[in-house]
Every structure is written in C-alpha cells, then in structure tokens.
Amino acid sequence: MSLLIPIGSKTSLLAEGWSLTLTEPGAYTLPADLPSDLEYLPAMVPGTVAAALETAGRFDRNNPEPLIDKDAWYRRSLAGETPGSAILRFAGLATVAEVFLDETPILSSASMFESHDVAVELTGTETLAICFRALRQHLARTGPRARWRPRLMNQQGLRLIRTTALGFMPGWSPEIHAVGPWRPVSVMRANDSRLASPPSSGPTGHLLPAGEKREFAVSATLDGSGTGILNVGFAFDGPTLDFRLVCNGTEARFANDGRRYSAELCLPEIKPWWPHTHGEPALYDVTLKIEDKEFPIVRTGFRSLTVDRGTDGNDFAVVVNGRKMFCRGAVWTSADIAKLPGDRASYEPWLRLAKEAGMNMIRIPGIATYESPEFFALCDELGLLVWQDLMFANFDYPAGDPDFMIHVKTEVEQFLAATQASPSLAVLCGGSEVYQQGAMLGLPERIWKGPLCEEILGTFASECRPDLPYVANSPSGGALPFYPNAGVAHYYGVGAYKRPLEDARRANVRFAAECLAFSNLSASETLAGGKAGIPRDTGADWDFEDVRDHYLGTLYGVDPVALRAQQPERYLALSRAVTGEVMEAAFAEWRRPGSTCNGALAFTFQDVMPGPGWGVVDVDGRPKPAWFALKRAFRPIQVVFADESTNGLDVHLINETPNDLPAVLEIACLREGRMPVVSGRRDLTLKAGSSASIASTDLFGAFFDANHAYRFGPPSHDVTVARLRHAETGEILSEAFHFPLGRASAFHDAEITVSVTEDEGEFWLEISTDIFAQTVNIECDNYCASDNGFHLAPGAIRRIRLAALSKTAERPAGMIRSLGGDRSVRF
C-alpha cells in the first residue's frame, strides 16, 4: 500500500476565483472558441454545477433540470501565481473532462473517481480552464453486450463510465447529476528550503521529498499480545539524512536499503482503537523526525480486525481486537446530493448524529461516491467502523475491457492509499447487488458470479490492503446471493416484503448490510406533499408508504386507508411511531444472545430529498422519530424481551462496555397499564463485554403466563416492563416492553407530569406518569430532546436532556402527549 505525500512542498488550493458557463454539447473545442458574450456565474471549487447554479438561483434541487445535456466550462486566472515548475492536482473531476492551460490541453479525464497530477511550467499569466463534456452522449455509447439490464438505473450506459449512480435512480433519489470539479484543485510546488511544514489539508498531513512524487506507506496494527506495530516506508533518493519515526514518545531510526527508507515501531503500552460502543477510539500522532525538525505524517489508531465465518462457513461476524461485536448502524447516502461535499464541516453534523444514535458502523454503498479522507478521519475520531463498497452496483460491468479496468485499478489504489492509516475502514466490498441482479433474473451462477468481484477487485484489494477483510459483493454467500441465512444479506423480509415481525428470527440472518427500509416520517411531516419524497422501486405497483401502512395496520389494528381519510392527525401520529417500533423489535431479536445475527445496517441514514424518505435523519439533518427508536435499540447496555411462545417470556441483558456493571433488573406485568399483577427483581453484575438470558418465571419465582401463550382464562395484563438500573446510582440504563395482547390493547389516556430543571447550564425534563403511556412525544421549539417517542411506565421518573439548537434559544417551553389519549401537558 502506498500514499503520495509531499515533504518539502507547499500547496495552494484554487478554491475561489472560478467562473462557470454552460454551452451546447460539443459546440466549442478550445477555451478560445467560447464567445465573449457568454454569461458566466461565480463558482466554488471543490463544487458542482448544481451547487453553483443553486447559489445563483438557477437550480431547484426539488425539481431539478438535467445537467448531462450541456457542456460545463470552468475557468480561473492563475495571475499572481509564482512562475516556475509546479504540479496541478485535480482530486476529482465529474466526469468526462478536458483541462486546458490557456489553449493547451494538459489533461483528459474519464473517471469521477480518479485524482490526477499534471506537471506544468507556470509564468503567472495563464488561465486554467476545465470543460466537463455533456455526459448524455457518452451514456448513449455502446460497449460489450450486457448479460442483464438492471431496472434500478434509468441509464444503462452507466456501466461503461466511472461515475456515481446518484441522480440516475428514479424513485430512489432526485435526478441531480454530478457534474464539476467535486474535489479540490490545487497547485503544488517545491519549497526553496530543503524541508518545510506540510499543508494542513487532508487527514494525513501531506509530506513529500523535494516536491517529487514518492510512495509513502503506513501500516498500524495490533498483534495478539496487544502490542501496536507501526510500519512506515518511503522512497527518497536525495542526500543521506537521519530520518526517525516517532509515535507516543517512542522513536526508531529509518533503515535504507539503497532505494527505500523503512522503520518499524513496537508499542507494547499502546491503547487499542475501539468502536465507541465497545471502548475508546484511541488515536496517536505519527511524525517524521529529520535531523532536528519534526513533520506530522498521519493520525492513526492501532487495532486488529478479522471476520469470523463460523464453523459452518456461513457466518459473517466482525472481530475487533479479538472481540466479536454486533455491528449496527445505517447505509450512508450523501452529506448533500447537490454539492457532494468532502470537507469536515459538512460531514461532522451527520456523523455525530450517527454516533449519538449508538451506531458503530456506516456503510457507503456502491450506488454512491467515495467520500474524502476527511470522512474517514472523523470516523476514526468518533469510533465508527466503515463498510466501504467499491463503486459498482447492479450492472454487468465490462471486466474484459482493458481500458475500463485501468480506470478501475487506479480508483481502487488511490482510494486505499488515501485511507490506509484510518482504523475506521473495516470492510472492503466489491460492490452492491451485482450478483443479486443477475440471480433474480434467473441467470446461472457462472454468469452473475464473474471475475470482476471474485478475482479482479479482490486482487487489487489484497495487494493494497491485505489486512482488510474483502467481501465479493453485497449481498452474497447463500445458495442464492439474496438468501439471508448465509454470508451477507440485504434483508427486507420485515420491511418491503411485509413479512411478520417473527420473520426477523425465522430468516436466520447472519449479517444484514442493509435492511428495514420504510418511508419514515419526520416529526413535522404532514399529508400535504402527497407522494412527493416517498421512495419506490422502479416498476413496482407499491411504494414504501404502502409498506409502512401494512405495519401500521398490523401493529395497531387499524385500517390505514380509513384512518387517513377520517382521522389524518391520528394517522400521522401512528405512522411516525410504527416504523421505529418495527425497527426496535427487529434489533431486539437480532441482538439477543443466541441470535444468528452479527450485525444489521438500516437503509438509510439520511434522506437525499424532502419528504418521508428512507432516512432516519431528514434532508436538513434533523433526527426523525425512527432515529430515536434506533438510538434506543442500539444502546451498548441493553435489556430486551424475547417471546419464546410456550417457552415463556425471556429477558436478555447486554453489556458491551469495557467495564463490569453492577445492576438491578426489575420486571412487572401491569394490568390496565397500572397495577402490577406479578413482579420480580434481581441484583446482578454484568461482566464487561458479556450477555445474559433470564426466564421471566425465574424472576417471578413461579409460573406466570407472561406472554399469554397458554391462555388459561382471560388475560391478566396488557404490558410487561423490564428495567435495568445501575445498582449504585439508581439510574435507569435501559427499558424493554412486551405487549402480550398487541400494542393497541395497551393504549391508555395517561396523566403525565413534567417539570423543567436546570443543571450546570443544561435543561432537563423530569417526566412521570400514573399509567402506562405509549409513545410519549416531546414538542419543544429550538430544542432537541435526548430521547423522544419512548414508552413510559409508572413507578419511575425519566430525565430527558434538552439540547439547545441555537445559542439564543429561550428557556424551553413545549408540550408532551402520548398515543394513548388526547390529553397533553405543557411545560
């Protein structure tokens, strides 16, 4: 693996001073051909045509015009640049682009996913121009015959061009096409001094000997004894220097074999990097010491990572630092589908929401784009694992075309070089649903299971990152690639296929790289938008609102069509709650001890357009009710119920943290949501990284039909509550609820009591109830509650933190109500 790092060079980003104009496709060959009276708009780089037009009020992302029917010309004066030798770096051009220095062509690019360095001699008077050719004519070109045609994309020519599928999936995303210099354009040149401080852009620093391109390799691993092993190497053909590698107060001298310098550090006291749900994501600065000066190279973490396939070879469990973990999270789409940003400020609010929800893995799917190193640097810091698909989805790609494969090899090598020191990068996958597409069309395995994912991409991956687990495709591994009982699944039994909640266990899921897609409503969603923003599969006579309605009827015993017509507000309230309830139930099943499932990622993390999309966070970055449900489902310290039919009701306890937990487990079956008909309690210690299962009858001390399986006489209760408290503080760490007669039978018109307290500048709600309150919603302008849409049982006070959304927010005021009745309480 190698990383291109400039030591002794300075870099200036060409961000401002750009202008943009659109012309008819192929109308002009050179910049000088452009008429002088063309209208130019200001543009930022990195950026896209959509972003520039939107800023100028010329583009509506909710009703987008096609951006693949015009040539887009960017230009910028280089006046003021110091004359002399330089390297122009183009980190990403979308997609078919020609670059000119004055009238001289200096680069032709045909891949959105490649970075290019061009050596030039500058006089300081030139103009830099980039023409992004209209993509539609390139999409219309034919290549080797495809053996299948996916229905997801509306342009079959995408299989021949290295660009994103975003914008080409009707019903999945708005048709906003990626056009423009979406990654930075910069000027690099050697410093006059022998060594200089590296530029700050990029999580790896940027270092290079004397401004020349050299290979720089970094590897940080953790061995079986817990010792960190750091290896760094680079090529340098200059004078003999005293190079030293420094990390965590330890240093080692570089050895020189005549061509490359290399050094290894053994760090026995190093703290390992963990996903935040299981420990601390410890990071360390690595520096290169040259004579008496130090230069930052990279910030990295030390961890080991493998995949356990189980004794039958059908499992898929991620093992970090020797510990098998349950991966949970969501599928990423884009921080902004129009801008396609790659800067820290754009990523950070989204990724912090992922961490706050208890997610420990984010999957970047093959329908999206490669995110920048800044994304991975943030995931490193936040303790989020990243499942990375390579950008191949659904199509039969021309693996036999050598020109095509040159681009593929370059993009894979460049991506892996840029992320080589990121401990967050956990799984590399050949792509998304390539196998599934061919298999679902009835083609034999020898057709859809081709060499691209099985051999070619796997070889590229192993050459660059032999330490990373590689998965040929997602989904894959079963008798058919979309069967969820082996390998990696895309599980939609509960979800799109409208299977009962019990199917989450029956399907025997091993690892769901995506699952549980619903049309998730936001807290403020209304019915005014009609079907706008509701995702659907192309050609299907149903959409994901129909899926949500199915579970609304199943869980709450109502007719969703009639309810929507007669009681629209009630319909909306139930619709906001139901998808989260389904997700919580599925994850409770998958996380229980004894489950075959080792991880599941919800589809998707964020919406890419307004409306009730798949995202658990809306397009403006506001958590939806489903986000809060996942936050409850993903707690590292967790209690869940499992209805085992005539085997009774089991309670499962999970402690994923690195510390032992003194705890108290309480359980009660409530008649009419209020009166305990039977209860139990146990003091226990949950060992670090452990789980436990207890039959509810063990807590009661005798037989009691807690799940109403035996039906001896009329039902005695409508809800069972389990609470896990901290034994020393009394804090409620987790709660679980079971509805033996269904959720609709546990609706009660609760009298909720609330008070507002202030503690060290933070506001808290203290909430209690006289009777079980189902789906308690907090409405508070300018504040975000730490939990919302939760169930509330009598006998305890819930403390909910209110985080101000602005520095000028006044003292919180709002309203609380539950699904069980019409009454509300103000605070």
Side-chain angles (χ1 to χ4, degrees), residues 138-146 156-157 159-160 396 398 401:
H138 295 275
L139 293 170
R141 293 176 181 173
T142 59
R145 182 180 177 84
Q156 297 301 311
R159 63 186 280 266
L160 305 176
D396 176 24
D401 182 341

PDB file of all heavy atoms in Angstrom, residues 138-146 156-157 159-160 396 398 401:
ATOM      1  N   HIS A 138     -22.171  10.323 -23.971  1.00  0.00           N
ATOM      2  CA  HIS A 138     -21.284   9.229 -23.564  1.00  0.00           C
ATOM      3  C   HIS A 138     -22.092   8.060 -23.006  1.00  0.00           C
ATOM      4  O   HIS A 138     -21.724   6.898 -23.206  1.00  0.00           O
ATOM      5  CB  HIS A 138     -20.280   9.726 -22.531  1.00  0.00           C
ATOM      6  CG  HIS A 138     -19.337  10.751 -23.061  1.00  0.00           C
ATOM      7  ND1 HIS A 138     -18.175  10.432 -23.737  1.00  0.00           N
ATOM      8  CD2 HIS A 138     -19.390  12.117 -23.037  1.00  0.00           C
ATOM      9  CE1 HIS A 138     -17.550  11.529 -24.101  1.00  0.00           C
ATOM     10  NE2 HIS A 138     -18.265  12.577 -23.679  1.00  0.00           N
ATOM     11  N   LEU A 139     -23.192   8.368 -22.329  1.00  0.00           N
ATOM     12  CA  LEU A 139     -24.054   7.307 -21.814  1.00  0.00           C
ATOM     13  C   LEU A 139     -24.734   6.537 -22.934  1.00  0.00           C
ATOM     14  O   LEU A 139     -25.128   5.382 -22.760  1.00  0.00           O
ATOM     15  CB  LEU A 139     -25.113   7.904 -20.885  1.00  0.00           C
ATOM     16  CG  LEU A 139     -24.595   8.500 -19.576  1.00  0.00           C
ATOM     17  CD1 LEU A 139     -25.706   9.276 -18.872  1.00  0.00           C
ATOM     18  CD2 LEU A 139     -24.063   7.404 -18.669  1.00  0.00           C
ATOM     19  N   ALA A 140     -24.880   7.186 -24.085  1.00  0.00           N
ATOM     20  CA  ALA A 140     -25.557   6.534 -25.205  1.00  0.00           C
ATOM     21  C   ALA A 140     -24.644   5.591 -25.987  1.00  0.00           C
ATOM     22  O   ALA A 140     -25.116   4.814 -26.817  1.00  0.00           O
ATOM     23  CB  ALA A 140     -26.116   7.602 -26.146  1.00  0.00           C
ATOM     24  N   ARG A 141     -23.340   5.635 -25.710  1.00  0.00           N
ATOM     25  CA  ARG A 141     -22.418   4.785 -26.445  1.00  0.00           C
ATOM     26  C   ARG A 141     -22.583   3.330 -26.036  1.00  0.00           C
ATOM     27  O   ARG A 141     -22.918   3.019 -24.894  1.00  0.00           O
ATOM     28  CB  ARG A 141     -20.980   5.233 -26.209  1.00  0.00           C
ATOM     29  CG  ARG A 141     -20.687   6.611 -26.809  1.00  0.00           C
ATOM     30  CD  ARG A 141     -19.285   7.080 -26.467  1.00  0.00           C
ATOM     31  NE  ARG A 141     -19.021   8.400 -27.034  1.00  0.00           N
ATOM     32  CZ  ARG A 141     -17.933   9.107 -26.792  1.00  0.00           C
ATOM     33  NH1 ARG A 141     -17.001   8.622 -25.966  1.00  0.00           N
ATOM     34  NH2 ARG A 141     -17.770  10.299 -27.335  1.00  0.00           N
ATOM     35  N   THR A 142     -22.334   2.465 -26.970  1.00  0.00           N
ATOM     36  CA  THR A 142     -22.459   1.031 -26.700  1.00  0.00           C
ATOM     37  C   THR A 142     -21.089   0.425 -26.434  1.00  0.00           C
ATOM     38  O   THR A 142     -20.062   0.933 -26.862  1.00  0.00           O
ATOM     39  CB  THR A 142     -23.118   0.309 -27.886  1.00  0.00           C
ATOM     40  OG1 THR A 142     -22.319   0.520 -29.061  1.00  0.00           O
ATOM     41  CG2 THR A 142     -24.525   0.836 -28.117  1.00  0.00           C
ATOM     42  N   GLY A 143     -21.100  -0.647 -25.689  1.00  0.00           N
ATOM     43  CA  GLY A 143     -19.872  -1.374 -25.385  1.00  0.00           C
ATOM     44  C   GLY A 143     -20.137  -2.855 -25.490  1.00  0.00           C
ATOM     45  O   GLY A 143     -21.069  -3.283 -26.183  1.00  0.00           O
ATOM     46  N   PRO A 144     -19.350  -3.658 -24.817  1.00  0.00           N
ATOM     47  CA  PRO A 144     -19.606  -5.099 -24.813  1.00  0.00           C
ATOM     48  C   PRO A 144     -21.034  -5.384 -24.348  1.00  0.00           C
ATOM     49  O   PRO A 144     -21.556  -4.721 -23.456  1.00  0.00           O
ATOM     50  CB  PRO A 144     -18.571  -5.633 -23.804  1.00  0.00           C
ATOM     51  CG  PRO A 144     -17.499  -4.584 -23.768  1.00  0.00           C
ATOM     52  CD  PRO A 144     -18.190  -3.286 -23.996  1.00  0.00           C
ATOM     53  N   ARG A 145     -21.652  -6.366 -24.944  1.00  0.00           N
ATOM     54  CA  ARG A 145     -23.050  -6.667 -24.660  1.00  0.00           C
ATOM     55  C   ARG A 145     -23.236  -7.042 -23.187  1.00  0.00           C
ATOM     56  O   ARG A 145     -22.514  -7.877 -22.636  1.00  0.00           O
ATOM     57  CB  ARG A 145     -23.529  -7.813 -25.557  1.00  0.00           C
ATOM     58  CG  ARG A 145     -25.000  -8.170 -25.365  1.00  0.00           C
ATOM     59  CD  ARG A 145     -25.392  -9.298 -26.292  1.00  0.00           C
ATOM     60  NE  ARG A 145     -26.771  -9.701 -26.084  1.00  0.00           N
ATOM     61  CZ  ARG A 145     -27.813  -9.102 -26.641  1.00  0.00           C
ATOM     62  NH1 ARG A 145     -27.616  -8.067 -27.436  1.00  0.00           N
ATOM     63  NH2 ARG A 145     -29.039  -9.531 -26.405  1.00  0.00           N
ATOM     64  N   ALA A 146     -24.219  -6.411 -22.546  1.00  0.00           N
ATOM     65  CA  ALA A 146     -24.538  -6.726 -21.156  1.00  0.00           C
ATOM     66  C   ALA A 146     -25.414  -7.965 -21.095  1.00  0.00           C
ATOM     67  O   ALA A 146     -26.320  -8.143 -21.914  1.00  0.00           O
ATOM     68  CB  ALA A 146     -25.254  -5.548 -20.508  1.00  0.00           C
ATOM     69  N   GLN A 156     -28.559   2.830 -18.912  1.00  0.00           N
ATOM     70  CA  GLN A 156     -27.779   1.596 -18.952  1.00  0.00           C
ATOM     71  C   GLN A 156     -26.310   1.859 -19.282  1.00  0.00           C
ATOM     72  O   GLN A 156     -25.430   1.053 -18.960  1.00  0.00           O
ATOM     73  CB  GLN A 156     -28.380   0.626 -19.973  1.00  0.00           C
ATOM     74  CG  GLN A 156     -29.796   0.169 -19.620  1.00  0.00           C
ATOM     75  CD  GLN A 156     -29.874  -0.531 -18.279  1.00  0.00           C
ATOM     76  OE1 GLN A 156     -29.090  -1.429 -17.999  1.00  0.00           O
ATOM     77  NE2 GLN A 156     -30.828  -0.117 -17.439  1.00  0.00           N
ATOM     78  N   GLY A 157     -26.035   3.030 -19.879  1.00  0.00           N
ATOM     79  CA  GLY A 157     -24.656   3.373 -20.203  1.00  0.00           C
ATOM     80  C   GLY A 157     -23.787   3.645 -18.996  1.00  0.00           C
ATOM     81  O   GLY A 157     -22.558   3.752 -19.119  1.00  0.00           O
ATOM     82  N   ARG A 159     -22.863   1.645 -16.871  1.00  0.00           N
ATOM     83  CA  ARG A 159     -21.955   0.513 -16.644  1.00  0.00           C
ATOM     84  C   ARG A 159     -20.601   0.717 -17.312  1.00  0.00           C
ATOM     85  O   ARG A 159     -19.612   0.082 -16.931  1.00  0.00           O
ATOM     86  CB  ARG A 159     -22.589  -0.787 -17.145  1.00  0.00           C
ATOM     87  CG  ARG A 159     -22.849  -0.805 -18.650  1.00  0.00           C
ATOM     88  CD  ARG A 159     -23.610  -2.042 -19.062  1.00  0.00           C
ATOM     89  NE  ARG A 159     -22.754  -3.204 -19.173  1.00  0.00           N
ATOM     90  CZ  ARG A 159     -22.186  -3.621 -20.315  1.00  0.00           C
ATOM     91  NH1 ARG A 159     -22.377  -2.944 -21.444  1.00  0.00           N
ATOM     92  NH2 ARG A 159     -21.438  -4.691 -20.333  1.00  0.00           N
ATOM     93  N   LEU A 160     -20.537   1.617 -18.276  1.00  0.00           N
ATOM     94  CA  LEU A 160     -19.308   1.830 -19.034  1.00  0.00           C
ATOM     95  C   LEU A 160     -18.528   3.058 -18.583  1.00  0.00           C
ATOM     96  O   LEU A 160     -17.431   3.303 -19.083  1.00  0.00           O
ATOM     97  CB  LEU A 160     -19.641   1.965 -20.528  1.00  0.00           C
ATOM     98  CG  LEU A 160     -20.451   0.817 -21.152  1.00  0.00           C
ATOM     99  CD1 LEU A 160     -20.781   1.141 -22.593  1.00  0.00           C
ATOM    100  CD2 LEU A 160     -19.689  -0.486 -21.050  1.00  0.00           C
ATOM    101  N   ASP A 396     -23.802  -5.350 -15.159  1.00  0.00           N
ATOM    102  CA  ASP A 396     -22.833  -6.317 -15.688  1.00  0.00           C
ATOM    103  C   ASP A 396     -21.687  -5.496 -16.289  1.00  0.00           C
ATOM    104  O   ASP A 396     -21.751  -5.069 -17.436  1.00  0.00           O
ATOM    105  CB  ASP A 396     -23.504  -7.196 -16.741  1.00  0.00           C
ATOM    106  CG  ASP A 396     -22.537  -8.164 -17.399  1.00  0.00           C
ATOM    107  OD1 ASP A 396     -21.512  -8.485 -16.763  1.00  0.00           O
ATOM    108  OD2 ASP A 396     -22.798  -8.591 -18.541  1.00  0.00           O
ATOM    109  N   PRO A 398     -18.001  -4.311 -17.790  1.00  0.00           N
ATOM    110  CA  PRO A 398     -17.120  -4.900 -18.810  1.00  0.00           C
ATOM    111  C   PRO A 398     -15.731  -5.223 -18.264  1.00  0.00           C
ATOM    112  O   PRO A 398     -14.743  -4.544 -18.589  1.00  0.00           O
ATOM    113  CB  PRO A 398     -17.076  -3.825 -19.895  1.00  0.00           C
ATOM    114  CG  PRO A 398     -17.237  -2.543 -19.142  1.00  0.00           C
ATOM    115  CD  PRO A 398     -18.178  -2.848 -18.005  1.00  0.00           C
ATOM    116  N   ASP A 401     -12.654  -5.439 -20.605  1.00  0.00           N
ATOM    117  CA  ASP A 401     -12.185  -4.266 -21.342  1.00  0.00           C
ATOM    118  C   ASP A 401     -10.960  -3.701 -20.625  1.00  0.00           C
ATOM    119  O   ASP A 401     -11.071  -3.161 -19.524  1.00  0.00           O
ATOM    120  CB  ASP A 401     -13.294  -3.217 -21.396  1.00  0.00           C
ATOM    121  CG  ASP A 401     -12.898  -1.979 -22.196  1.00  0.00           C
ATOM    122  OD1 ASP A 401     -11.695  -1.754 -22.412  1.00  0.00           O
ATOM    123  OD2 ASP A 401     -13.793  -1.217 -22.581  1.00  0.00           O
TER     124      ASP A 401
END
